């Protein structure tokens, strides 16, 4: 994890002086009294295209934190170990401290985004089987797509870890496809991040939200109207806040039913 700004601050939930450990594009990470626990504060700031496009999505921090918290709890119940501990406020999540593996693990069920751009596949093409891809988590390099040999060359993960990451990503995909389907939403693709705990165990980390998943409303066939995720912001489709709010409502409704 990169250490950017170290500043003393007070976390409002427990009034314990905590250190700002890291500020990223969507979250601020604070230390807590317990070295094994960190506090993630989700921000309303939105960025796209490697931060070349910046903006604010009102309420996004709370929405993404709430959706992620619910999904992490469901995933843990399903046997997928992750960093979630609890959520002391709607925009805050207490998580197990992990060393983030510098890889973005992307799973795709339907062609969209960079896959279309780089391969010419038509947007919406259903993939015969889920595609798992690794990107190097490095903003300065523009998060490049990695081949298996480049992964090996850079020693970003052991062979065993790569196999585990693929298996975990596919398990998460099975879970999420079913979950979003029950919300009336098609899961197009998504990005996961993983971390290693003190026992070198791989834990699912970061977030799972409309910022990190492409989600299409099953009730809409129009290619713009169906979009319920960050593509609304990326492509200036409008109604960004409403879309995020609608995703949260569907998640809450499903969990209450
Ligand atoms: N994604 C993400 N963070 C990134 C890059 C991608 O959460 O830094 C997610 C993105 O929202 C989508 C999936 O990963 O659900 C695949 O993204 P893609 O490679 O198509 O890149 P994009 O078109 O978003 O640049």
């Amino acid at each position: 994890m990169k250490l950017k700004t170290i500043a003393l601050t007070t976390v409002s939930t427990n009034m314990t002086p905590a250190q700002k450990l890291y500020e990223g594009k969507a979250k601020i990470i604070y230390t807590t009294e317990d070295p094994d626990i960190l506090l993630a504060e989700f921000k309303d700031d939105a960025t796209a295209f490697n931060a070349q496009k910046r903006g604010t999505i009102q309420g996004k921090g709370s929405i993404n934190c709430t959706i992620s918290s619910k999904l992490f709890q469901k995933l843990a119940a399903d046997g997928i170990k992750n960093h979630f501990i609890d959520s002391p406020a709607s925009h805050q999540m207490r998580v197990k401290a992990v060393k983030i593996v510098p890889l973005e693990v992307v799973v795709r069920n339907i062609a969209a985004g960079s896959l279309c751009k780089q391969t010419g596949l038509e947007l919406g093409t259903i993939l015969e089987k889920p595609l798992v891809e690794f990107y190097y988590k490095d903003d300065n390099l523009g998060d490049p797509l990695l081949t298996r040999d480049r992964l090996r060359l850079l020693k970003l993960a052991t062979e065993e870890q790569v196999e585990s990451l693929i298996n975990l990503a596919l398990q998460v995909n099975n879970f999420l496809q079913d979950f979003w389907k029950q919300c009336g939403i098609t899961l197009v693709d998504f990005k996961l991040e993983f971390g290693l705990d003190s026992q070198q165990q791989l834990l699912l980390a970061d977030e799972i939200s409309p910022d990190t998943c492409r989600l299409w409303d099953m009730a809409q066939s129009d290619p713009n109207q169906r979009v319920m995720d960050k593509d609304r912001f990326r492509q200036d489709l409008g109604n960004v806040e409403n879309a995020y709010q609608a995703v949260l409502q569907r998640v809450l409704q499903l969990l209450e039913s």
Side-chain angles (χ1 to χ4, degrees):
M1 187 177 284
K2 284 177 219 160
L3 294 181
K4 274 194 181 157
T5 342
I6 304 273
L8 279 179
T9 186
T10 302
V11 177
S12 57
T13 47
N14 55 12
M15 299 308 284
T16 307
Q19 268 194 348
K20 190 195 234 185
L21 190 61
Y22 169 81
E23 178 157 4
K25 286 173 274 188
K27 290 184 280 296
I28 305 175
I29 308 294
Y30 296 101
T31 59
T32 68
E33 288 162 341
D34 184 337
D36 293 330
I37 297 177
L38 298 174
L39 184 90
E41 198 163 81
F42 286 60
K43 305 195 288 185
D44 287 354
D45 297 353
T47 60
F49 313 119
N50 203 10
Q52 287 173 51
K53 180 179 167 79
R54 290 172 183 273
T56 302
I57 301 173
Q58 215 72 49
K60 177 172 87 75
S62 289
I63 292 171
N64 283 359
C65 182
T66 305
I67 294 172
S68 295
S69 299
K70 304 282 183 202
L71 287 173
F72 280 139
Q73 285 172 82
K74 298 285 278 179
L75 282 162
D78 223 49
I80 310 274
K81 294 194 174 85
N82 62 71
H83 71 160
F84 178 82
I85 298 173
D86 58 18
S87 177
S90 64
H91 66 304
Q92 292 179 337
M93 190 190 285
R94 290 195 322 135
V95 297
K96 291 172 198 151
V98 292
K99 187 168 182 286
I100 292 288
V101 179
L103 291 172
E104 299 194 339
V105 184
V106 168
V107 183
R108 301 177 188 273
N109 299 304
I110 296 175
S114 68
L115 179 64
C116 295
K117 226 174 283 165
Q118 293 169 8
T119 65
L121 272 176
E122 196 184 332
L123 173 70
T125 306
I126 295 170
L127 308 185
E128 266 174 37
K129 59 180 193 149
L131 181 65
V132 181
E133 297 177 327
F134 293 95
Y135 292 80
Y136 189 12
K137 197 172 142 57
D138 187 318
D139 286 341
N140 293 328
L141 297 175
D143 298 341
L145 176 64
L146 290 168
T147 61
R148 200 66 188 254
D149 282 344
R150 285 188 181 184
L151 244 164
R152 248 181 234 131
L153 174 75
L154 298 173
K155 296 191 168 55
L156 297 172
T158 64
E159 296 287 329
E160 200 190 338
Q161 284 169 344
V162 172
E163 287 310 317
S164 299
L165 289 170
I166 294 170
N167 287 333
L168 285 165
L170 290 172
Q171 279 179 56
V172 174
N173 186 43
N174 283 339
F175 171 89
L176 287 180
Q177 272 191 310
D178 180 59
F179 181 88
W180 288 120
K181 193 174 168 188
Q182 290 180 64
C183 296
I185 290 172
T186 302
L187 177 63
V188 176
D189 60 28
F190 59 97
K191 182 261 303 181
L192 299 175
E193 291 184 27
F194 293 84
L196 290 165
D197 68 10
S198 48
Q199 280 92 52
Q200 297 300 297
Q201 182 180 219
L202 274 174
L203 297 186
L204 178 60
D206 195 46
E207 66 177 283
I208 304 173
S209 71
D211 266 13
T212 62
C213 300
R214 280 199 171 89
L215 305 169
W216 289 353
D217 187 350
M218 284 176 168
Q220 300 283 350
S221 54
D222 180 86
N224 288 346
Q225 282 188 0
R226 69 186 173 192
V227 175
M228 301 184 83
D229 57 70
K230 197 166 149 187
D231 274 351
R232 297 209 77 81
F233 170 77
R234 290 189 188 101
Q235 298 167 21
D236 293 317
L237 298 178
N239 285 322
V240 186
E241 277 90 358
N242 290 348
Y244 275 64
Q245 195 65 49
V247 174
L248 173 65
Q249 289 317 316
R250 292 201 198 181
V251 168
L252 295 179
Q253 263 167 26
L254 177 68
L255 296 178
E256 279 158 17
S257 64

